[in-house]
Amino acid sequence: MVIKALIFDVDGTLSDTERDGHRPAFNQAFKQTGLDWRWDVALYGELLAVTGGKERIRFFIERYKPALKNDVNLADMIAELHQAKTRIYTELLATGKIPLRPGVKRLLQEAKEAGLKLAIATTTTPENVTALLNYTLGEDSLNWFEVIAAGDIVPAKKPAPDIYLCALKKLQLSADECLAFEDSENGLKSSLGAGIKTVITINDYTVNHDFTGAALVLSDLGEPENPCQVLHGSLYRERYLSLLGLAKL
């Protein structure tokens, strides 16, 4: 069946946001709130096993600060911390310090010009998605995407397939007509759970994840002058992932 839509995860896939975006934003939010918490690179790698920012804060409290559960209204505290973190993250994006990963803009433009539908399926908040697109691709880029499925619009976050099933429903396409782009094991489980063939682009946090079932595993999407590394699958002698390479998948 002919591919009619590309569905992208956001954090770690469109941009390497986790290490240099979300993590420092969380730390600044903690500091502004008067908390002495600091998520270093290693600890944040552990916390990334939990998808969703609010869920990540709750997991951290339950594991490392359990006494807090008896002292504060946990739901309100988590919501306030997450709101502060989202604001700080948006400010970081506005400075241009969080660029798109190699090949992302090129492939999006190729797909758009070829008439393919574009969609997003992510556990991050809609505000984070909007900010990233605005500051990396321009305000008009929101119109590139027919569907933006983000945040708490589904009952279960990745690795559950809910967010991809939601995107498929909104696109009015079958799983066979779509291709997903992910960067993590949880993301892959989510897309495969919805029956969607998936391309993985790894990052520092996910390099050792289990990507069994992925159609293709790459270092990144690559550029003509900056080829990507193929870790699983084949680009059929291409040096970067293009629409031609996707068709051959």
Side-chain angles (χ1 to χ4, degrees), residues 8 13-14 100-110 181 220-226 240-242:
F8 290 85
T13 302
L14 289 184
L100 295 176
R101 295 190 66 187
V104 168
K105 182 176 181 179
R106 171 187 52 76
L107 187 61
L108 289 173
Q109 289 176 327
E110 286 180 14
F181 291 80
D220 52 66
L221 297 179
E223 298 284 12
E225 69 283 359
N226 185 22
Y240 59 95
L241 187 61
S242 64

Side-chain angles (χ1 to χ4, degrees), residues 53-67:
K54 292 187 290 292
E55 292 80 1
R56 206 164 289 150
I57 298 171
R58 181 176 293 274
F59 175 80
F60 172 79
I61 291 171
E62 290 175 348
R63 171 164 289 192
Y64 295 104
K65 308 288 180 180

Side-chain angles (χ1 to χ4, degrees), residues 33-35 37 57-58 60-62 65-81:
T33 313
L35 297 168
W37 306 349
I57 298 171
R58 181 176 293 274
F60 172 79
I61 291 171
E62 290 175 348
K65 308 288 180 180
L68 269 180
K69 293 190 293 183
N70 302 320
D71 296 337
V72 298
N73 184 319
L74 205 58
D76 287 348
M77 178 186 182
I78 290 171
E80 290 172 7
L81 281 172

Side-chain angles (χ1 to χ4, degrees), residues 85-154:
K85 173 259 171 184
T86 298
R87 174 181 52 77
I88 295 165
Y89 175 75
T90 301
E91 292 170 356
L92 286 173
L93 281 171
T95 67
K97 294 180 179 178
I98 310 174
L100 295 176
R101 295 190 66 187
V104 168
K105 182 176 181 179
R106 171 187 52 76
L107 187 61
L108 289 173
Q109 289 176 327
E110 286 180 14
K112 179 172 170 285
E113 291 167 3
L116 271 67
K117 294 182 178 181
L118 295 173
I120 282 173
T122 180
T123 56
T124 198
T125 65
E127 294 84 358
N128 285 345
V129 176
T130 298
L132 178 66
L133 295 179
N134 282 344
Y135 289 120
T136 57
L137 294 171
E139 293 183 5
D140 183 59
S141 63
L142 286 173
N143 298 321
W144 297 10
F145 295 87
E146 186 155 328
V147 170
I148 296 180
D152 298 322
I153 63 171
V154 292

